[in-house]
């Protein structure tokens, strides 16, 4: 496995690897992806194998130009109104942390999409990712570069520690700017639905195309009747058991030995601390001192990775305010806790 800093040379080497059917972990603005040529079924199998990812969980197809949709997506299956909304979203929010479900063309093999006739398309807002995509096949299928069910990687080192030699190359582009995955939006049905909260807030989408529905993944059964494949209740989980509480409820919890604590802001941490006589030396972390939601999102996985290494028996976490990126933070915390 090669672990290389981002340079023009390492990006073109990574593109060679992808073109010849290999897999490369690369940075995006949300989390790191594990990329393979989206048109090469054998390369896609490797992505599932390396992640230990079930084949019913479809991948996201990353593009670096809107025109690629002409090759990979079948927009003729969308009605005029949906097409109009697609272009409003693409013009305003791409490149960016938004994956849009569209009918796919046969050029994208069924394995990429778990046999679905649709695929999730995303145009990342990250120069390295875009260069890599354009220099390889123009369409790179990439899930987050973590073992299935685990915490998403926001740094190249997270991948080296978890997948290591199973990948051909890791491109090190430093810490991810946004820190939570893209929002997954399904525009193919009668109602437009958010299938996964993520880096593009619901409010932003609604300001452009009007009200959207939320597919509540906490209602989804992991064995049968998946509304959105891959949206399992338990996901994004540290190895350490995690419980998540509202501010009111976390304040009722006593600080015990071998526990770690994750607060949204300094204010909440201080309120909790006031009610405690801390008797133990335990990890206590805050996502954003001032309570800035974007900063909190960007630090979520990184902080969970750190707490997971601290050898405690349980992590107690506090919900973020349910607005903007707070919805994505809370979704990840709930899934980490299931
Ligand atoms: O920000 C991100 O989206 C990152 C970076 C690497 O781009 N990628 C990512 O991929 O989070 P992944 O595989 O961890 O999550 C993809 C999820 C699937 O689990 C599934 O829920 C949804 O996207 N998805 C993909 N294709 C779909 C489809 N055709 N229909 C419904 N949901 C789909
Ligand atoms: Mg993932």
């Amino acid at each position: 496995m090669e672990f290389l800093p981002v340079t023009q040379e390492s990006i073109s080497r990574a593109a060679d690897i992808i073109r010849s059917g290999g897999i490369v972990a690369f940075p995006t603005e949300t989390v790191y992806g594990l990329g393979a040529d989206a048109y090469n079924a054998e390369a896609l199998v490797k992505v599932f194998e390396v992640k230990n990812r079930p084949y019913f969980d479809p991948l996201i197809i990353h593009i670096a130009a809107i025109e690629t949709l002409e090759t990979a997506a079948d927009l003729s299956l969308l009605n005029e109104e949906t097409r109009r909304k697609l272009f409003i979203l693409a013009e305003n929010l791409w490149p960016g942390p938004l994956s849009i479900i569209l009918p796919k063309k046969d050029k994208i093999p069924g394995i990429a999409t778990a046999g679905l006739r649709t695929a999730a398309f995303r145009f990342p807002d990250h120069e390295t990712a875009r260069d890599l995509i354009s220099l390889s096949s123009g369409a790179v299928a990439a899930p987050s570069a973590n073992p299935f069910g685990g915490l998403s990687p926001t740094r190249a080192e997270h991948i080296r520690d978890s997948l290591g030699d199973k990948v051909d190359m890791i491109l090190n582009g430093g810490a991810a700017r946004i820190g939570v995955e893209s929002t997954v939006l399904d525009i193919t049905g009668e109602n437009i639905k958010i299938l996964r909260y993520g880096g593009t807030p619901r409010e932003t989408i609604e300001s452009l195309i009007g009200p959207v529905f939320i597919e509540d993944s906490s209602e989804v059964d992991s064995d049968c009747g998946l509304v959105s494949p891959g949206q399992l209740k338990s996901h994004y989980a540290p190895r350490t058991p995690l419980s998540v509480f509202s501010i009111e409820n976390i304040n009722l919890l006593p600080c015990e030995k071998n526990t770690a604590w994750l607060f949204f802001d300094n204010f909440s941490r201080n309120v909790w601390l006031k009610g405690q006589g801390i008797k133990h030396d335990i990890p206590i972390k805050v996502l954003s001192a001032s309570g800035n939601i974007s900063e909190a999102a960007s630090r979520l996985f990184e902080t969970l990775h750190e707490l997971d290494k601290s050898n405690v028996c349980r992590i107690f976490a506090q919900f973020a305010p349910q607005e903007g990126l707070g919805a994505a933070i809370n979704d990840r915390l709930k899934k980490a806790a299931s």
Side-chain angles (χ1 to χ4, degrees):
M1 182 268 290
E2 295 174 81
F3 188 88
L4 299 176
V6 168
T7 60
Q8 277 320 313
E9 291 80 62
S10 61
I11 294 175
S12 54
R13 174 124 185 78
D16 286 343
I17 293 177
I18 290 184
R19 266 201 313 269
S20 53
I23 53 175
V24 172
F26 64 98
T28 82
E29 80 279 29
T30 57
V31 302
Y32 277 71
L34 185 62
D37 178 353
Y39 303 129
N40 179 340
E42 276 166 50
L44 297 174
V45 170
K46 287 189 208 163
V47 172
F48 284 90
E49 295 283 296
V50 161
K51 276 192 59 123
N52 206 2
R53 180 185 180 103
Y55 286 96
F56 61 72
D57 192 358
L59 308 176
I60 292 176
I61 314 297
H62 295 67
I63 59 175
I66 293 186
E67 295 72 53
T68 305
L69 290 183
E70 287 161 24
T71 322
D74 192 349
L75 303 188
S76 73
L77 295 176
L78 299 176
N79 64 37
E80 210 172 299
E81 173 65 4
T82 308
R83 245 196 326 256
R84 194 181 63 83
K85 287 184 174 162
L86 166 64
F87 286 109
I88 294 176
L89 292 168
E91 259 164 41
N92 289 279
L93 302 177
W94 275 357
L98 175 68
S99 296
I100 305 180
I101 310 279
L102 296 170
K104 76 168 185 74
K105 283 205 177 133
D106 289 343
K107 209 168 172 232
I108 306 273
I111 183 165
T113 63
L116 297 171
R117 307 291 307 152
T118 57
F121 290 91
R122 166 159 136 72
F123 187 163
D125 186 15
H126 196 288
E127 211 181 325
T128 303
R130 287 203 301 265
D131 288 349
L132 176 64
I133 296 162
S134 333
L135 287 172
S136 47
S137 62
V140 169
S144 51
N146 52 281
F148 181 70
L151 292 173
S152 295
T154 54
R155 288 183 180 275
E157 291 79 7
H158 296 153
I159 309 162
R160 190 173 56 190
D161 295 347
S162 57
L163 300 176
D165 282 334
K166 293 185 191 157
V167 304
D168 296 314
M169 189 201 275
I170 300 173
L171 270 179
N172 183 359
R177 177 166 59 82
I178 293 178
V180 288
E181 298 83 348
S182 61
T183 300
V184 178
L185 186 72
D186 187 354
I187 65 167
T188 61
E190 208 163 297
N191 298 318
I192 295 190
K193 283 187 222 154
I194 290 181
L195 302 184
R196 174 177 78 179
Y197 280 117
T200 301
R202 173 188 192 169
E203 295 88 329
T204 307
I205 295 171
E206 293 192 324
S207 72
L208 291 167
I209 58 166
V212 297
F213 288 74
I214 306 293
E215 196 83 71
D216 182 357
S217 50
S218 62
E219 302 285 314
V220 174
D221 190 304
S222 59
D223 297 322
C224 56
L226 277 176
V227 269
S228 165
Q231 288 303 83
L232 306 182
K233 259 199 239 173
S234 169
H235 215 135
Y236 312 106
R239 285 181 297 267
T240 316
L242 179 145
S243 311
V244 56
F245 299 92
S246 66
I247 179 70
E248 295 78 27
N249 287 332
I250 208 165
N251 279 329
L252 304 174
L253 298 174
C255 161
E256 283 171 5
K257 248 203 293 202
N258 297 323
T259 58
W261 298 75
L262 179 59
F263 291 94
F264 174 66
D265 57 3
N266 277 354
F267 176 80
S268 311
R269 180 200 57 190
N270 294 344
V271 170
W272 178 78
L273 278 174
K274 224 185 214 167
Q276 308 280 338
I278 297 281
K279 303 161 229 83
H280 317 285
D281 184 20
I282 52 165
I284 302 172
K285 302 250 182 205
V286 169
L287 286 180
S288 165
S290 64
N292 177 297
I293 294 196
S294 304
E295 185 188 23
S298 72
R299 298 198 56 238
L300 176 69
F301 283 123
E302 167 152 17
T303 312
L304 288 173
H305 277 285
E306 284 169 19
L307 291 178
D308 209 14
K309 283 197 210 146
S310 64
N311 278 324
V312 296
C313 298
R314 183 165 287 277
I315 300 168
F316 291 102
Q318 177 200 353
F319 280 121
Q322 182 75 14
E323 60 195 52
L325 291 187
I329 297 176
N330 292 341
D331 170 74
R332 303 307 185 270
L333 285 172
K334 274 189 228 162
K335 286 183 181 140
S338 314

